[in-house]
């Protein structure tokens, strides 16, 4: 029998049958999240709203789970639903839906600007209602690989570098939390001047940090490190010249060589 730890079963694994018996009446799906380890998925931003709404999420952290859920589509009439993919919707009341629609319209300029900045790194930038604490999250397409499956395939020694791999690779969607202070501040900066260099730097930094939080790996870690270093310099009120390493007082190699030669003579 398949058994998993979950947001509501932290001490011992639970079965799908037990999960279904605990489901609230209005819950339609069996929610799960895949990841590299239990520790990684327990701190995932994808869990924020689901936990707040009282929905249980299964932790699938064994590589075989990625293959198993491709075959196990449902259990006792309840469809298994990955919370890291697009298309996750909740039954909100009319007031909440209306408010969310207003937030999406309000953030359209920011979404368009960030998509322009990030280019082909993301398929689109949208407003999401999946978050309550994090500023943003990376969602994948319903029919492509999850972030965890992409990591598993990249680690394969004989992986296909093209063909199926390129077709199934995650189509990334950047989802923004509409009421988060970072998103609100970024919206204000875009409204003031969307060509501001700070907007570009912050958009890239936010995207790369969100990639890591969402279970992906960075394509260019050195570039991310450089951005972090610039943010640290900004926090310490340092400019580029002050941050540069001081020149060594040691004599040049040629001087040392000449001096040593004279001593030998």
């Amino acid at each position: 029998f398949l058994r998993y730890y979950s947001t509501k079963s932290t001490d011992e694994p639970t079965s799908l049958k037990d999960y279904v018996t605990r489901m609230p009446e209005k819950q339609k799906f069996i929610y799960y999240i895949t990841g590299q380890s239990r520790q990684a998925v327990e701190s995932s931003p994808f869990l924020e709203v689901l936990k707040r709404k009282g929905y249980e999420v299964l932790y699938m952290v064994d590589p075989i789970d990625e293959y198993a859920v491709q075959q196990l589509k449902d259990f006792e009439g309840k469809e298994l639903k990955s919370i890291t993919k697009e298309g996750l919707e909740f039954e909100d009341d009319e007031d909440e839906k209306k408010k969310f629609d207003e937030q999406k319209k309000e953030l359209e300029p920011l979404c368009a600007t960030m998509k322009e900045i990030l280019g082909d790194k993301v398929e689109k930038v949208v407003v999401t209602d999946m978050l309550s604490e994090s500023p943003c999250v990376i969602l994948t397409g319903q029919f492509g690989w999850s972030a965890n499956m992409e990591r598993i395939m990249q680690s394969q020694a004989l992986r296909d570098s093209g063909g199926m791999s390129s077709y199934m690779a995650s189509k990334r969607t950047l989802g923004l939390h509409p009421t988060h202070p970072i998103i609100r501040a970024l919206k204000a900066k875009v409204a003031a001047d969307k060509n501001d260099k700070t907007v570009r730097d912050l958009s890239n930094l936010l995207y790369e940090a969100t990639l890591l939080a969402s279970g992906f790996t960075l394509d260019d870690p050195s570039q991310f490190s450089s951005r972090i270093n610039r943010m640290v310099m900004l926090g310490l009120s340092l400019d580029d010249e002050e941050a540069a390493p001081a020149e060594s007082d040691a004599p040049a190699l040629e001087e040392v060589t000449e001096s040593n030669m004279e001593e030998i003579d």
Side-chain angles (χ1 to χ4, degrees), residues 157-198:
L158 300 176
R159 69 181 184 273
D160 177 18
S161 59
M164 182 61 72
S165 293
S166 60
Y167 177 75
M168 294 297 294
S170 309
K171 296 185 184 301
R172 301 170 184 176
T173 295
L174 179 62
L176 308 181
H177 179 195
T179 59
H180 195 281
I182 290 178
I183 300 303
R184 306 303 294 181
L186 203 53
K187 170 184 170 293
K189 278 192 170 292
V190 167
D193 180 9
K194 72 173 187 177
N195 296 316
D196 186 349
K197 185 178 182 297
T198 305

Side-chain angles (χ1 to χ4, degrees), residues 44-70:
S44 172
F46 292 103
L47 297 175
E48 293 174 2
V49 166
L50 285 152
K51 289 170 72 174
R52 193 186 69 187
K53 289 180 177 290
Y55 294 148
E56 185 175 5
V57 181
L58 298 173
Y59 300 148
M60 298 189 178
V61 295
D62 193 299
I64 197 65
D65 292 332
E66 285 283 1
Y67 300 95
V69 293
Q70 293 178 24

Side-chain angles (χ1 to χ4, degrees), residues 29-42:
F29 306 105
I30 296 174
Y31 296 115
Y32 71 89
I33 180 172
T34 57
Q36 188 171 7
S37 66
R38 180 179 169 184
Q39 182 180 8
V41 296
E42 281 181 332

Side-chain angles (χ1 to χ4, degrees), residues 203-214:
S203 295
N204 278 299
L205 184 59
L206 200 57
Y207 167 73
E208 290 168 344
T210 304
L211 269 183
L212 293 175
S214 301

Side-chain angles (χ1 to χ4, degrees), residues 214-228:
S214 301
F216 289 92
T217 55
L218 293 175
D219 296 328
D220 190 351
S222 62
Q223 194 173 54
F224 176 68
S225 177
S226 296
R227 289 196 178 96
I228 292 294

Side-chain angles (χ1 to χ4, degrees), residues 248-261:
S248 173
D249 294 331
L253 179 61
E254 293 78 14
E255 296 175 352
V256 174
T257 303
E258 291 175 1
S259 174
N260 290 342
M261 290 297 292

